[in-house]
Amino acid sequence: DTLSDLGYYTRSRIVCPTQLGWPNRRSRYYLLASRTPLPPWQPFPQWHQTLAGLLQSKVAPALWLNPALVQRIGSAMDRVDANQAGAVTACFGSSYGKQWLHSGSVLIDGDRHRRFSPREVARLLGFYDAFSLEGLTPRQAWSLLGNSLSLPVVRYVLAHVPGGPQHSPEVL
């Protein structure tokens, strides 16, 4: 109401990457405000991105979880199997790598479990591989990425700003 009283046109919406066919749950509230009229929300583009398609073929041994830990608290972890159709990860928080619960998913790989690498978390947020994580420890990278937004969703939202980017899956 305040923005409207000040002469702004607004659009707001809660959007989760899964609504755009991206395998990461990260619902966030987005608000656009402009002095010129904003177009109505367009249908969600669909990327049809799979979790398996974002994984690295080799990861650092330090990412593998101790089987005793998984035995003890595994049922409380958000575990995801990339081989399952429609596999979706939980939102990765900045405490990923420090806390075992409520900070992001762990990957089931056969009878073993592991954390997602920082590069995989970046991919799950829509960052290109050219985005540099060089010089950061995994914990530092997870902390920074955990405070990030989903780039496919940001592109979709900004496509509703006059002169903003396209939100087609072909241009991500």
Side-chain angles (χ1 to χ4, degrees), residues 12-30 41-49 86-89 124 150-154 156-157 160 167 169:
S12 65
R13 190 170 205 182
I14 296 173
V15 185
C16 181
T18 58
Q19 293 171 284
L20 285 78
W22 204 264
N24 181 244
R25 288 188 305 273
R26 194 175 190 83
S27 291
R28 296 290 183 267
Y29 175 80
Y30 295 87
W41 291 112
Q42 297 300 307
F44 293 121
Q46 292 298 305
W47 273 271
H48 306 290
Q49 179 62 60
V88 175
T89 60
L124 282 161
S150 172
L151 295 186
V153 173
V154 170
Y156 166 77
V157 170
H160 294 84
H167 62 78

Short mmCIF file of all heavy atoms in Angstrom, two decimals, residues 12-30 41-49 86-89 124 150-154 156-157 160 167 169:
data_model
loop_
_atom_site.label_atom_id
_atom_site.label_comp_id
_atom_site.label_asym_id
_atom_site.label_seq_id
_atom_site.Cartn_x
_atom_site.Cartn_y
_atom_site.Cartn_z
N SER A 12 3.78 -8.75 -7.02
CA SER A 12 4.48 -9.60 -6.05
C SER A 12 4.03 -11.04 -6.25
O SER A 12 2.92 -11.30 -6.71
CB SER A 12 4.22 -9.15 -4.61
OG SER A 12 2.86 -9.30 -4.28
N ARG A 13 4.93 -11.93 -5.86
CA ARG A 13 4.63 -13.35 -6.07
C ARG A 13 5.63 -14.19 -5.29
O ARG A 13 6.80 -13.83 -5.17
CB ARG A 13 4.78 -13.65 -7.56
CG ARG A 13 4.29 -14.99 -7.99
CD ARG A 13 4.26 -15.09 -9.49
NE ARG A 13 3.26 -16.08 -9.84
CZ ARG A 13 2.98 -16.46 -11.05
NH1 ARG A 13 3.61 -15.91 -12.08
NH2 ARG A 13 2.08 -17.38 -11.29
N ILE A 14 5.17 -15.31 -4.78
CA ILE A 14 6.07 -16.31 -4.20
C ILE A 14 6.38 -17.30 -5.32
O ILE A 14 5.46 -17.81 -5.97
CB ILE A 14 5.42 -17.01 -3.00
CG1 ILE A 14 5.19 -16.01 -1.87
CG2 ILE A 14 6.30 -18.17 -2.53
CD1 ILE A 14 4.41 -16.56 -0.68
N VAL A 15 7.66 -17.54 -5.54
CA VAL A 15 8.07 -18.44 -6.62
C VAL A 15 9.10 -19.42 -6.08
O VAL A 15 10.01 -19.04 -5.34
CB VAL A 15 8.68 -17.67 -7.82
CG1 VAL A 15 8.99 -18.62 -8.96
CG2 VAL A 15 7.77 -16.55 -8.28
N CYS A 16 8.96 -20.67 -6.46
CA CYS A 16 9.90 -21.72 -6.13
C CYS A 16 10.51 -22.23 -7.44
O CYS A 16 9.78 -22.38 -8.44
CB CYS A 16 9.19 -22.87 -5.41
SG CYS A 16 10.31 -24.21 -4.93
N PRO A 17 11.81 -22.50 -7.46
CA PRO A 17 12.43 -23.02 -8.70
C PRO A 17 11.74 -24.26 -9.25
O PRO A 17 11.73 -24.47 -10.46
CB PRO A 17 13.87 -23.33 -8.27
CG PRO A 17 14.12 -22.44 -7.10
CD PRO A 17 12.80 -22.32 -6.40
N THR A 18 11.15 -25.08 -8.39
CA THR A 18 10.48 -26.28 -8.88
C THR A 18 9.32 -25.93 -9.81
O THR A 18 8.98 -26.72 -10.69
CB THR A 18 9.96 -27.15 -7.72
OG1 THR A 18 9.07 -26.37 -6.92
CG2 THR A 18 11.11 -27.66 -6.87
N GLN A 19 8.73 -24.74 -9.65
CA GLN A 19 7.65 -24.32 -10.53
C GLN A 19 8.14 -24.05 -11.95
O GLN A 19 7.36 -23.99 -12.88
CB GLN A 19 6.97 -23.06 -9.97
CG GLN A 19 6.23 -23.30 -8.66
CD GLN A 19 5.76 -22.00 -8.04
OE1 GLN A 19 6.54 -21.27 -7.47
NE2 GLN A 19 4.47 -21.73 -8.19
N LEU A 20 9.46 -23.87 -12.08
CA LEU A 20 10.07 -23.61 -13.38
C LEU A 20 10.79 -24.85 -13.91
O LEU A 20 11.56 -24.77 -14.86
CB LEU A 20 11.07 -22.46 -13.27
CG LEU A 20 10.49 -21.06 -13.17
CD1 LEU A 20 9.97 -20.76 -11.79
CD2 LEU A 20 11.54 -20.04 -13.55
N GLY A 21 10.57 -26.00 -13.28
CA GLY A 21 11.23 -27.22 -13.72
C GLY A 21 12.68 -27.30 -13.30
O GLY A 21 13.49 -27.93 -13.98
N TRP A 22 13.03 -26.68 -12.18
CA TRP A 22 14.41 -26.67 -11.66
C TRP A 22 14.41 -27.48 -10.38
O TRP A 22 13.57 -27.25 -9.50
CB TRP A 22 14.86 -25.23 -11.41
CG TRP A 22 16.33 -25.08 -11.43
CD1 TRP A 22 17.16 -25.09 -10.36
CD2 TRP A 22 17.16 -24.92 -12.57
NE1 TRP A 22 18.45 -24.93 -10.75
CE2 TRP A 22 18.48 -24.83 -12.12
CE3 TRP A 22 16.92 -24.85 -13.94
CZ2 TRP A 22 19.56 -24.67 -12.99
CZ3 TRP A 22 17.98 -24.68 -14.79
CH2 TRP A 22 19.29 -24.59 -14.31
N PRO A 23 15.36 -28.42 -10.18
CA PRO A 23 15.27 -29.39 -9.08
C PRO A 23 15.78 -28.91 -7.71
O PRO A 23 16.56 -29.56 -7.05
CB PRO A 23 16.13 -30.55 -9.59
CG PRO A 23 17.19 -29.89 -10.41
CD PRO A 23 16.48 -28.73 -11.08
N ASN A 24 15.29 -27.74 -7.27
CA ASN A 24 15.69 -27.22 -5.97
C ASN A 24 14.52 -26.45 -5.37
O ASN A 24 13.97 -25.57 -6.02
CB ASN A 24 16.92 -26.32 -6.11
CG ASN A 24 17.40 -25.75 -4.80
OD1 ASN A 24 17.37 -24.54 -4.60
ND2 ASN A 24 17.86 -26.60 -3.90
N ARG A 25 14.14 -26.83 -4.13
CA ARG A 25 13.09 -26.09 -3.43
C ARG A 25 13.72 -24.87 -2.76
O ARG A 25 14.64 -24.99 -1.96
CB ARG A 25 12.44 -26.97 -2.36
CG ARG A 25 11.56 -28.05 -2.91
CD ARG A 25 10.78 -28.78 -1.82
NE ARG A 25 11.62 -29.34 -0.78
CZ ARG A 25 12.18 -30.54 -0.81
NH1 ARG A 25 12.02 -31.31 -1.85
NH2 ARG A 25 12.90 -30.97 0.20
N ARG A 26 13.22 -23.69 -3.13
CA ARG A 26 13.74 -22.45 -2.57
C ARG A 26 12.68 -21.36 -2.77
O ARG A 26 12.89 -20.39 -3.49
CB ARG A 26 15.06 -22.07 -3.25
CG ARG A 26 15.83 -21.00 -2.53
CD ARG A 26 17.19 -20.77 -3.20
NE ARG A 26 18.05 -19.94 -2.41
CZ ARG A 26 18.81 -20.34 -1.40
NH1 ARG A 26 18.82 -21.60 -1.05
NH2 ARG A 26 19.57 -19.51 -0.74
N SER A 27 11.53 -21.53 -2.15
CA SER A 27 10.45 -20.57 -2.28
C SER A 27 10.86 -19.24 -1.66
O SER A 27 11.34 -19.20 -0.52
CB SER A 27 9.18 -21.07 -1.59
OG SER A 27 8.65 -22.15 -2.30
N ARG A 28 10.65 -18.17 -2.40
CA ARG A 28 10.96 -16.83 -1.93
C ARG A 28 9.88 -15.87 -2.42
O ARG A 28 9.27 -16.06 -3.46
CB ARG A 28 12.32 -16.33 -2.44
CG ARG A 28 13.52 -17.15 -1.96
CD ARG A 28 13.76 -16.91 -0.46
NE ARG A 28 14.91 -17.60 0.04
CZ ARG A 28 14.92 -18.81 0.59
NH1 ARG A 28 13.80 -19.51 0.65
NH2 ARG A 28 16.02 -19.34 1.07
N TYR A 29 9.70 -14.80 -1.65
CA TYR A 29 8.76 -13.75 -2.01
C TYR A 29 9.51 -12.71 -2.85
O TYR A 29 10.58 -12.25 -2.46
CB TYR A 29 8.21 -13.10 -0.73
CG TYR A 29 7.33 -11.91 -0.97
CD1 TYR A 29 6.00 -12.07 -1.34
CD2 TYR A 29 7.82 -10.62 -0.83
CE1 TYR A 29 5.18 -10.98 -1.55
CE2 TYR A 29 7.02 -9.51 -1.04
CZ TYR A 29 5.70 -9.71 -1.40
OH TYR A 29 4.90 -8.61 -1.61
N TYR A 30 8.95 -12.36 -3.99
CA TYR A 30 9.55 -11.37 -4.87
C TYR A 30 8.56 -10.22 -5.05
O TYR A 30 7.38 -10.44 -5.26
CB TYR A 30 9.88 -11.99 -6.24
CG TYR A 30 10.95 -13.05 -6.14
CD1 TYR A 30 10.62 -14.37 -5.87
CD2 TYR A 30 12.28 -12.72 -6.29
CE1 TYR A 30 11.60 -15.34 -5.76
CE2 TYR A 30 13.28 -13.68 -6.17
CZ TYR A 30 12.93 -14.99 -5.90
OH TYR A 30 13.90 -15.94 -5.78
N TRP A 41 1.95 -11.20 -14.52
CA TRP A 41 2.85 -12.36 -14.45
C TRP A 41 2.57 -13.30 -15.61
O TRP A 41 1.42 -13.60 -15.91
CB TRP A 41 2.67 -13.12 -13.14
CG TRP A 41 3.15 -12.37 -11.94
CD1 TRP A 41 2.38 -11.86 -10.94
CD2 TRP A 41 4.50 -12.06 -11.59
NE1 TRP A 41 3.17 -11.24 -9.99
CE2 TRP A 41 4.48 -11.35 -10.36
CE3 TRP A 41 5.73 -12.30 -12.18
CZ2 TRP A 41 5.63 -10.89 -9.73
CZ3 TRP A 41 6.88 -11.84 -11.55
CH2 TRP A 41 6.82 -11.15 -10.36
N GLN A 42 3.62 -13.73 -16.26
CA GLN A 42 3.51 -14.66 -17.38
C GLN A 42 3.58 -16.09 -16.84
O GLN A 42 4.07 -16.32 -15.74
CB GLN A 42 4.64 -14.42 -18.38
CG GLN A 42 4.58 -13.04 -19.01
CD GLN A 42 3.28 -12.82 -19.78
OE1 GLN A 42 2.91 -13.62 -20.64
NE2 GLN A 42 2.55 -11.76 -19.45
N PRO A 43 3.13 -17.07 -17.64
CA PRO A 43 3.26 -18.47 -17.21
C PRO A 43 4.73 -18.80 -16.96
O PRO A 43 5.63 -18.20 -17.58
CB PRO A 43 2.71 -19.26 -18.40
CG PRO A 43 1.86 -18.30 -19.15
CD PRO A 43 2.47 -16.95 -18.93
N PHE A 44 4.96 -19.74 -16.08
CA PHE A 44 6.33 -20.14 -15.77
C PHE A 44 6.96 -20.85 -16.96
O PHE A 44 6.37 -21.78 -17.51
CB PHE A 44 6.36 -21.09 -14.57
CG PHE A 44 5.96 -20.44 -13.27
CD1 PHE A 44 4.89 -20.94 -12.55
CD2 PHE A 44 6.66 -19.36 -12.76
CE1 PHE A 44 4.52 -20.36 -11.35
CE2 PHE A 44 6.30 -18.77 -11.56
CZ PHE A 44 5.22 -19.27 -10.86
N PRO A 45 8.17 -20.45 -17.36
CA PRO A 45 8.89 -21.22 -18.36
C PRO A 45 9.30 -22.55 -17.74
O PRO A 45 9.39 -22.65 -16.51
CB PRO A 45 10.11 -20.35 -18.67
CG PRO A 45 10.33 -19.55 -17.43
CD PRO A 45 8.97 -19.32 -16.84
N GLN A 46 9.56 -23.53 -18.55
CA GLN A 46 9.95 -24.84 -18.02
C GLN A 46 11.32 -25.23 -18.53
O GLN A 46 11.54 -25.32 -19.73
CB GLN A 46 8.91 -25.90 -18.39
CG GLN A 46 7.58 -25.71 -17.70
CD GLN A 46 7.72 -25.81 -16.18
OE1 GLN A 46 8.23 -26.79 -15.65
NE2 GLN A 46 7.27 -24.77 -15.48
N TRP A 47 12.25 -25.44 -17.60
CA TRP A 47 13.61 -25.83 -17.96
C TRP A 47 13.77 -27.35 -18.04
O TRP A 47 14.67 -27.83 -18.69
CB TRP A 47 14.63 -25.27 -16.94
CG TRP A 47 15.05 -23.88 -17.31
CD1 TRP A 47 16.09 -23.55 -18.12
CD2 TRP A 47 14.46 -22.65 -16.92
NE1 TRP A 47 16.19 -22.19 -18.24
CE2 TRP A 47 15.18 -21.61 -17.51
CE3 TRP A 47 13.37 -22.33 -16.12
CZ2 TRP A 47 14.88 -20.28 -17.33
CZ3 TRP A 47 13.06 -20.99 -15.94
CH2 TRP A 47 13.81 -20.00 -16.55
N HIS A 48 12.94 -28.11 -17.35
CA HIS A 48 13.04 -29.57 -17.36
C HIS A 48 14.46 -30.04 -16.99
O HIS A 48 14.99 -30.97 -17.57
CB HIS A 48 12.62 -30.16 -18.71
CG HIS A 48 11.27 -29.72 -19.15
ND1 HIS A 48 10.11 -30.14 -18.53
CD2 HIS A 48 10.87 -28.87 -20.13
CE1 HIS A 48 9.07 -29.57 -19.09
NE2 HIS A 48 9.50 -28.80 -20.07
N GLN A 49 15.04 -29.35 -16.03
CA GLN A 49 16.39 -29.69 -15.56
C GLN A 49 16.29 -30.82 -14.55
O GLN A 49 15.48 -30.77 -13.64
CB GLN A 49 17.04 -28.47 -14.91
CG GLN A 49 18.43 -28.71 -14.38
CD GLN A 49 19.41 -29.09 -15.47
OE1 GLN A 49 19.63 -28.35 -16.40
NE2 GLN A 49 19.98 -30.28 -15.37
N GLY A 86 12.02 -36.96 -10.94
CA GLY A 86 11.48 -35.83 -10.20
C GLY A 86 12.24 -35.50 -8.92
O GLY A 86 11.72 -34.78 -8.07
N ALA A 87 13.46 -36.01 -8.77
CA ALA A 87 14.25 -35.73 -7.55
C ALA A 87 14.49 -34.23 -7.41
O ALA A 87 14.87 -33.56 -8.37
CB ALA A 87 15.57 -36.47 -7.61
N VAL A 88 14.25 -33.72 -6.20
CA VAL A 88 14.38 -32.29 -5.90
C VAL A 88 15.11 -32.13 -4.58
O VAL A 88 14.80 -32.82 -3.61
CB VAL A 88 12.98 -31.63 -5.81
CG1 VAL A 88 13.07 -30.19 -5.38
CG2 VAL A 88 12.24 -31.74 -7.14
N THR A 89 16.06 -31.21 -4.55
CA THR A 89 16.79 -30.95 -3.31
C THR A 89 16.07 -29.91 -2.47
O THR A 89 15.30 -29.09 -2.98
CB THR A 89 18.21 -30.43 -3.60
OG1 THR A 89 18.12 -29.22 -4.34
CG2 THR A 89 19.04 -31.46 -4.34
N LEU A 124 22.75 -25.96 -8.78
CA LEU A 124 21.36 -26.07 -8.35
C LEU A 124 20.71 -24.69 -8.18
O LEU A 124 19.49 -24.56 -8.23
CB LEU A 124 21.26 -26.85 -7.04
CG LEU A 124 21.37 -28.36 -7.23
CD1 LEU A 124 21.74 -29.05 -5.93
CD2 LEU A 124 20.04 -28.91 -7.78
N SER A 150 17.84 -18.20 -6.43
CA SER A 150 17.80 -19.08 -7.60
C SER A 150 17.82 -18.21 -8.86
O SER A 150 16.90 -17.43 -9.10
CB SER A 150 16.54 -19.93 -7.56
OG SER A 150 16.40 -20.63 -8.77
N LEU A 151 18.88 -18.34 -9.66
CA LEU A 151 19.00 -17.50 -10.85
C LEU A 151 17.90 -17.74 -11.88
O LEU A 151 17.45 -16.78 -12.51
CB LEU A 151 20.39 -17.66 -11.46
CG LEU A 151 21.53 -17.16 -10.55
CD1 LEU A 151 22.85 -17.22 -11.29
CD2 LEU A 151 21.27 -15.78 -10.01
N PRO A 152 17.43 -18.98 -12.10
CA PRO A 152 16.30 -19.12 -13.03
C PRO A 152 15.07 -18.33 -12.58
O PRO A 152 14.38 -17.73 -13.40
CB PRO A 152 16.04 -20.63 -13.04
CG PRO A 152 17.35 -21.24 -12.66
CD PRO A 152 17.95 -20.28 -11.67
N VAL A 153 14.83 -18.30 -11.28
CA VAL A 153 13.68 -17.55 -10.77
C VAL A 153 13.93 -16.05 -10.91
O VAL A 153 13.04 -15.29 -11.31
CB VAL A 153 13.37 -17.92 -9.31
CG1 VAL A 153 12.28 -17.02 -8.74
CG2 VAL A 153 12.95 -19.38 -9.20
N VAL A 154 15.13 -15.60 -10.58
CA VAL A 154 15.44 -14.17 -10.71
C VAL A 154 15.28 -13.72 -12.16
O VAL A 154 14.71 -12.67 -12.43
CB VAL A 154 16.87 -13.87 -10.19
CG1 VAL A 154 17.30 -12.46 -10.55
CG2 VAL A 154 16.94 -14.09 -8.69
N TYR A 156 13.29 -15.03 -14.37
CA TYR A 156 11.85 -15.00 -14.62
C TYR A 156 11.24 -13.72 -14.06
O TYR A 156 10.47 -13.03 -14.74
CB TYR A 156 11.18 -16.24 -14.01
CG TYR A 156 9.68 -16.13 -13.94
CD1 TYR A 156 8.89 -16.30 -15.08
CD2 TYR A 156 9.04 -15.82 -12.74
CE1 TYR A 156 7.51 -16.18 -15.01
CE2 TYR A 156 7.66 -15.70 -12.68
CZ TYR A 156 6.91 -15.88 -13.82
OH TYR A 156 5.54 -15.74 -13.76
N VAL A 157 11.57 -13.38 -12.82
CA VAL A 157 10.99 -12.19 -12.19
C VAL A 157 11.43 -10.93 -12.94
O VAL A 157 10.60 -10.07 -13.26
CB VAL A 157 11.39 -12.13 -10.70
CG1 VAL A 157 11.01 -10.79 -10.09
CG2 VAL A 157 10.73 -13.28 -9.92
N HIS A 160 9.81 -9.41 -16.07
CA HIS A 160 8.59 -8.63 -15.94
C HIS A 160 8.87 -7.15 -15.72
O HIS A 160 7.94 -6.36 -15.55
CB HIS A 160 7.72 -9.21 -14.82
CG HIS A 160 7.23 -10.58 -15.15
ND1 HIS A 160 7.99 -11.71 -14.94
CD2 HIS A 160 6.07 -10.99 -15.73
CE1 HIS A 160 7.31 -12.77 -15.36
NE2 HIS A 160 6.15 -12.36 -15.85
N HIS A 167 12.87 -14.60 -20.27
CA HIS A 167 12.84 -15.68 -19.27
C HIS A 167 12.67 -17.05 -19.91
O HIS A 167 12.30 -18.01 -19.28
CB HIS A 167 11.76 -15.43 -18.21
CG HIS A 167 10.35 -15.38 -18.75
ND1 HIS A 167 9.65 -16.51 -19.05
CD2 HIS A 167 9.54 -14.35 -19.01
CE1 HIS A 167 8.44 -16.16 -19.49
NE2 HIS A 167 8.35 -14.87 -19.47
N PRO A 169 13.70 -20.67 -21.29
CA PRO A 169 14.70 -21.65 -20.89
C PRO A 169 15.93 -21.68 -21.80
O PRO A 169 17.00 -22.07 -21.39
CB PRO A 169 13.96 -22.99 -20.94
CG PRO A 169 12.54 -22.63 -20.86
CD PRO A 169 12.39 -21.28 -21.49
#
